[in-house]
Structure formats: C-alpha cells, structure tokens
Amino acid sequence: MIEDRIYNQKDFDRTLVLEKRTALVARKVTEFLKGTSPYDKTIIFCEDIDHAERMRSELVNLNPEEVAKSSKYVMRITGDNNEGKEELDNFILPECRYPVIATTSRLMSTGIDAQTCKLIVIDQNIESVSMFKQIIGRGTRINEDYDKLYFTIMDFRKATELFADKDFDGPPIQIYEPKPDEPVVPPDVSEPLDSDEPGQGVAIDPFPPDTGGGKRIKYYVSDVPVSVISERVQYYGKDGKLITESLKDYTRKNVKKEFSSLDSFLLHWTTGEKKQAIIDELEEQGILLTALAEEVGKDIDPFDLVCHVAFGRPPLTRRERAEQVRKRNYFAKYETNARAVIDKLLDKYADEGIEHIEDIGILRIKPLNELGTPLEIMKSFGGKEQYLKALHELEEQLYKVA
C-alpha cells in the first residue's frame, strides 16, 4: 500500500515512480531529436540507476529503427554498468557515431569533455548551483568541425530556474581535458559511482534512507495518466540576456526568418516537388513541428501548422482537407481502379500525413496493396509517369487555397 501523504516533484523517481511520466519524457526527447537530428549526442540525467535504466528502455522502444541500426544507439552509462562505462570514450569522441543517447544519474555530471553533445536533458532534482553548472557544462564546448555551435537543455524538473540564482555567474566550472594516456574521468572523481546513498557520488542525496538502515521504499504506479501542463522556450540573445517565449512564438519567429509573408510560404510549398523535403528543411531551421503539433493538434498537417502559427490562418485537420478533395470530385476523370487508389491515398493522408503518400513504397502496404501490385496500380493510371502526375495533382488539390 502506498503511504498516504502529499507527493511532489522531489518524490518522482525517488520514492514514487510514475511509469507513464518516464514514457512521456522519453517521447518528448525523441520528438525533439527527430525534429532536429536523431544523431545529436544527448545526455539524460536521471534520479538514480533504476530511473536511468527505465529511461533507456523507453527510448529503445520509441526508436526501433535507430536501435535496429545499432544496439548502442541508446545506452545506460552508470557506475554499476561495465558495458556502458566501456562505451564512455566512444560517446565522447566526436568521430564515433555511437552511442548517441546516454542515460545516467551521477557518472557523467562532472569531468566529462563531451565536445559534440548538443542536448542536455534534466530529469533529476538539482538544487545546487555548482551541480547545475557541472551538468550544463557537458554541452558548452564548441566544435566547429562537427557543427557544434550551440546546445539545447530540456528541463523537466525546473532546474533551469537556477539560471536566475545570483551565484550562477560565479567562478566557472573547469573542464577536464585528458591527454591520450590519462583516464577519461579526472583523478579526484575517479569513482563517481551512481548511488542511492547519501554522501557518495558528486551530490548529497536529498532523500537519505530511512532510519531503519534499509533501502528507501519506491512505489511504482503504471496506470496514472500524465500530461505536459505547460511548456516554454528560453534562449540567450546576442546581448547575453535570457529570453523566454512560447513554442508558438519561437516557431513564428523562425518561419518569418525564411518567409516574409504567407504568399512566399505558399509559393514555396506549392512549387516544391516533394513536401517531405520542405518539412525536412523547416525542421533543420529548428522548427519543432512534432512538438508544435502536440500543442496545436496532432492531426494537423505541417502546412497548416506553419500557416496557422506564423501567419494566423485557421487550421484544417488532415481529414478535413481530404474531405474537401472528395467533394470537388476532381478525380472523376479517372477509371474506377485509379479512383479507388486515390481514395485510399486520401485515407492514408488523413491518418498519417503527406510524407507517407509521397513515398512510392506505400503501394506495397495495406490498404493499397489490396488493389494490386505496385506495377498493376501504376498501370491503372497509364504507367509510373502518369501515376506520379496524378499524385502531384492530388497534392495540389489538398493544398488548394480557397
């Protein structure tokens, strides 16, 4: 039975484990990496070894394609895990692609020179300014050869409030730079083992074991729904001042850097040969479409997200766009089989988005493959060239501006 008392943020993953919360954090990290680059080196600071392992497991489940390429895509690097510690050098070396994501608690908070680390995720209670500076210090190195000119902090524990602490701009935390024949971890912290015990590692445990001498009790809860109730974006301006803005404001600003007006964006979108290329282009500019869709609406097309957030146009859902095309009856000029294919493509678009129907491989999977082989489907339009022309017409109809 769970102890009857008020639980707060400091209890998460220490005495109270909400499994859906771990999954939510892992999903937000995955969405960010997919929206920027899935190979940006990432360190996730967790409460303890158990939390680091659960986070690793969730990330593995959320990134099956990357894990299939290498089992070292996500690794737990903690004091008790020899396999993870053996990969620490590879994580640090800019030349090594794997591991990409490291989950840890104490082992990587100090003495680690991760030159190309672009994402620091804080899911750990941090009350010490010096500890906070050590943790974010993992991302402050610049490496122009590997396009490491900035880094991002994702904070799930309000640790970044320490930026406002008067002591934050005190003496800098020095970075240990080992020579080829020296250990990765500096000698004075050569044993920074992750621990649940007070006084070990590099931080004092704010939750010491009970007076009975046993391990603290953890309650695991799997059926409590978890959601993000607020989100904000902060960045440092050219003058060194911290600027706070909403995700929508951040998107609006970045879109308008590239497109001065709605007309310029519409022209770019409609003339683009493949919409996926434009989506990739937007995400490379730091526009987090997946995160934005979570805020505005999951079933809204990237086209509508940009038009709505940056230029104030009312958004349509993908299903509404698909139904508008059906009502126009534009594709009545095609034979029965070809119209059936277009109808299935519209369903796929409504369910999954434009990038999926642009891939010709969609003809090999359900429900399209129920209408024939890819060759047979394309023949119903008169051949591959005519099928691609019909697909282009479908895109024009989907994004037709009234």
Side-chain angles (χ1 to χ4, degrees):
M1 182 178 292
I2 298 178
E3 181 185 354
D4 185 12
R5 65 176 178 85
I6 295 175
Y7 292 85
N8 57 35
Q9 178 179 282
K10 290 184 179 180
D11 288 297
F12 290 149
D13 302 295
R14 300 292 291 176
T15 55
L16 181 66
V17 175
L18 301 180
E19 294 182 352
K20 290 188 177 180
R21 183 186 179 282
T22 307
L24 178 61
V25 171
R27 189 169 75 248
K28 286 292 182 182
V29 172
T30 298
E31 287 171 356
F32 181 86
L33 289 173
K34 287 183 177 179
T36 52
S37 169
Y39 290 99
D40 282 350
K41 296 281 182 144
T42 300
I43 305 175
I44 304 179
F45 290 94
C46 304
E47 276 298 319
D48 56 22
I49 290 169
D50 170 64
H51 184 201
E53 175 56 28
R54 286 185 288 104
M55 187 66 70
R56 184 204 65 82
S57 179
E58 291 290 348
L59 288 162
V60 167
N61 293 335
L62 289 167
N63 294 273
E65 293 181 359
E66 302 300 341
V67 173
K69 295 174 187 175
S70 173
S71 61
K72 295 179 181 180
Y73 181 75
V74 186
M75 295 204 74
R76 172 167 62 92
I77 302 180
T78 52
D80 70 321
N81 184 5
N82 289 331
E83 181 184 8
K85 286 193 292 184
E86 288 173 358
E87 292 298 326
L88 188 54
D89 282 338
N90 291 332
F91 180 84
I92 292 169
L93 288 174
E95 298 84 1
C96 293
R97 169 166 278 192
Y98 300 106
V100 175
I101 305 174
T103 67
T104 189
S105 57
R106 301 290 187 269
L107 186 60
M108 299 179 70
S109 61
T110 185
I112 302 299
D113 183 20
Q115 297 180 30
T116 55
C117 181
K118 282 192 173 182
L119 178 60
I120 303 291
V121 181
I122 301 175
D123 196 20
Q124 179 185 112
N125 291 311
I126 301 169
E127 298 178 352
S128 161
V129 172
S130 62
M131 169 61 77
F132 178 59
K133 290 171 74 173
Q134 287 171 345
I135 284 176
I136 65 172
R138 302 316 106 219
T140 52
R141 290 297 299 274
I142 289 176
N143 189 319
E144 295 184 2
D145 292 339
Y146 290 87
D147 196 30
K148 167 64 190 303
L149 303 174
Y150 65 92
F151 75 106
T152 301
I153 302 170
M154 293 184 73
D155 176 20
F156 295 90
R157 303 280 182 140
K158 298 184 178 180
T160 46
E161 291 180 355
L162 290 170
F163 276 127
D165 192 291
K166 60 180 177 61
D167 294 327
F168 180 77
D169 289 325
I173 299 296
Q174 290 189 348
I175 292 180
Y176 172 65
E177 299 186 16
K179 295 177 181 178
D181 58 342
E182 292 180 336
V184 171
V185 180
D188 60 337
V189 288
S190 60
E191 296 288 339
L193 298 183
D194 299 85
S195 174
D196 292 337
E197 300 301 322
Q200 293 190 20
V202 294
I204 300 299
D205 189 341
F207 294 90
D210 59 43
T211 54
K215 287 280 186 179
R216 68 171 177 275
I217 297 173
K218 272 191 181 183
Y219 301 106
Y220 291 79
V221 182
S222 61
D223 57 353
V224 173
V226 177
S227 61
V228 176
I229 59 173
S230 65
E231 191 168 343
R232 69 180 180 179
V233 175
Q234 293 182 308
Y235 62 95
Y236 277 98
K238 293 181 180 179
D239 58 0
K241 292 183 179 179
L242 189 65
I243 300 170
T244 301
E245 60 185 343
S246 70
L247 187 59
K248 289 182 180 179
D249 289 339
Y250 178 79
T251 300
R252 187 180 301 113
K253 180 194 70 178
N254 279 275
V255 168
K256 289 189 173 181
K257 281 182 182 178
E258 185 70 20
F259 307 103
S260 58
S261 66
L262 174 61
D263 287 342
S264 65
F265 175 70
L266 291 177
L267 179 64
H268 186 64
W269 184 271
T270 54
T271 56
E273 185 175 344
K274 277 207 168 188
K275 304 300 181 275
Q276 180 61 57
I278 300 174
I279 293 170
D280 292 342
E281 181 184 317
L282 290 168
E283 291 180 338
E284 285 173 5
Q285 293 167 8
I287 298 168
L288 308 179
L289 294 170
T290 304
L292 196 63
E294 290 283 337
E295 186 171 324
V296 179
K298 292 182 181 179
D299 58 348
I300 293 178
D301 194 286
F303 172 81
D304 281 283
L305 285 172
V306 172
C307 290
H308 173 62
V309 173
F311 303 107
R313 279 178 59 97
L316 295 175
T317 65
R318 292 192 301 268
R319 193 158 297 281
E320 286 171 337
R321 287 197 171 277
E323 289 307 314
Q324 282 187 351
V325 173
R326 288 191 172 102
K327 287 176 183 177
R328 293 190 197 111
N329 204 28
Y330 177 83
F331 294 96
K333 61 183 179 178
Y334 289 103
E335 297 294 334
T336 303
N337 289 345
R339 289 203 307 272
V341 172
I342 291 168
D343 196 57
K344 297 293 186 186
L345 287 172
L346 283 170
D347 285 338
K348 269 289 184 182
Y349 165 78
D351 291 337
E352 300 178 17
I354 190 68
E355 58 269 38
H356 295 278
I357 70 170
E358 285 188 324
D359 185 352
I360 203 166
I362 198 172
L363 302 180
R364 299 188 181 91
I365 62 176
K366 290 184 178 181
L368 275 302
N369 63 1
E370 296 171 349
L371 301 176
T373 65
L375 184 60
E376 290 170 339
I377 289 173
M378 287 187 285
K379 277 185 177 180
S380 68
F381 289 86
K384 181 178 180 180
E385 186 176 338
Q386 288 78 8
Y387 167 77
L388 293 175
K389 181 182 177 183
L391 183 61
H392 183 68
E393 289 177 344
L394 177 58
E395 289 185 343
E396 288 181 338
Q397 290 299 309
L398 281 169
Y399 298 111
K400 190 172 184 179
V401 179

